[in-house]
Amino acid sequence: MPYSVPPPETSDAAYLTHRRWMLRALELAEAAGTAGDVPVGAVVVGPDHQLLAEAANRREQDADPTAHAEILALRQAGQRLGNWHLNECILYVTLEPCPMCAGALGLARLGLLVYGASDPKTGAVRSVINLPDGPCSYHRLAVIDGILAGSCREQLQTWFAQRRRARS
């Protein structure tokens, strides 16, 4: 599927920066999994690569269907900046955003999305549907996918396998 905004070039230095922040998102995801939530972590970084916000899934802990890591991190970043326009920010998340989160990224005018594992069931950026480039979106989102994808995917698969074993 063609994208209106091509992803920025990923140099070796940029890749190392993306990897660094994705590793932090993986740590947050691990904490979510330990707490009983699906292990997804998100980090929002500002234009000077400073940490603005970080969050992990909290749907189970908060009994809140909207408490996805991306939503929580976007809220924190907006509050920290005092502005809901996050057009100079980068969101790092371990799993491709769902439709709710992809919609929120567009509404936040996010500058760049970097995610690890694709989501073949509910991915709303590239895998199943492409909300950011769809006709209902007026913000075109730059995307880099696959950063530490293997680690992100393995973390999710291991968590779900453990949950299945515990139920049987």
Side-chain angles (χ1 to χ4, degrees):
M1 215 180 273
Y3 291 89
S4 301
V5 176
E9 294 300 320
T10 306
S11 66
D12 288 343
Y15 174 77
L16 291 175
T17 298
H18 295 325
R19 187 178 185 284
R20 171 182 164 225
W21 290 115
M22 190 62 73
L23 285 169
R24 178 61 187 144
L26 277 163
E27 291 172 358
L28 294 164
E30 183 68 27
T34 300
D37 272 289
V38 174
V40 177
V43 175
V44 178
V45 176
D48 295 327
H49 298 289
Q50 80 276 14
L51 176 66
L52 291 177
E54 57 183 25
N57 270 358
R58 295 187 53 90
R59 291 189 314 164
E60 298 297 329
Q61 294 174 73
D62 295 352
D64 179 355
T66 68
H68 289 205
E70 301 96 307
I71 299 294
L72 298 173
L74 291 174
R75 285 180 187 155
Q76 288 175 24
Q79 290 170 355
R80 180 142 184 225
L81 292 173
N83 191 341
W84 60 269
H85 287 264
L86 303 180
N87 53 327
E88 294 186 19
C89 296
I90 301 170
L91 173 73
Y92 294 89
V93 63
T94 56
L95 181 65
E96 178 182 5
C98 71
M100 175 182 69
C101 294
L105 299 179
L107 292 172
R109 313 294 195 276
L110 186 71
L112 174 63
L113 167 65
V114 179
Y115 69 87
S118 295
D119 185 345
K121 291 184 179 182
T122 63
V125 176
R126 290 193 170 152
S127 295
V128 179
I129 59 174
N130 180 353
L131 281 181
D133 283 341
C136 66
S137 180
Y138 47 85
H139 174 70
R140 298 299 179 231
L141 178 63
V143 177
I144 297 174
D145 67 334
I147 302 294
L148 296 179
S151 297
C152 295
R153 187 179 319 102
E154 182 180 333
Q155 184 181 57
L156 285 157
Q157 289 173 340
T158 299
W159 187 83
F160 279 110
Q162 289 171 346
R163 299 274 295 197
R164 284 190 295 276
R165 277 194 302 275
R167 287 185 195 155
S168 41

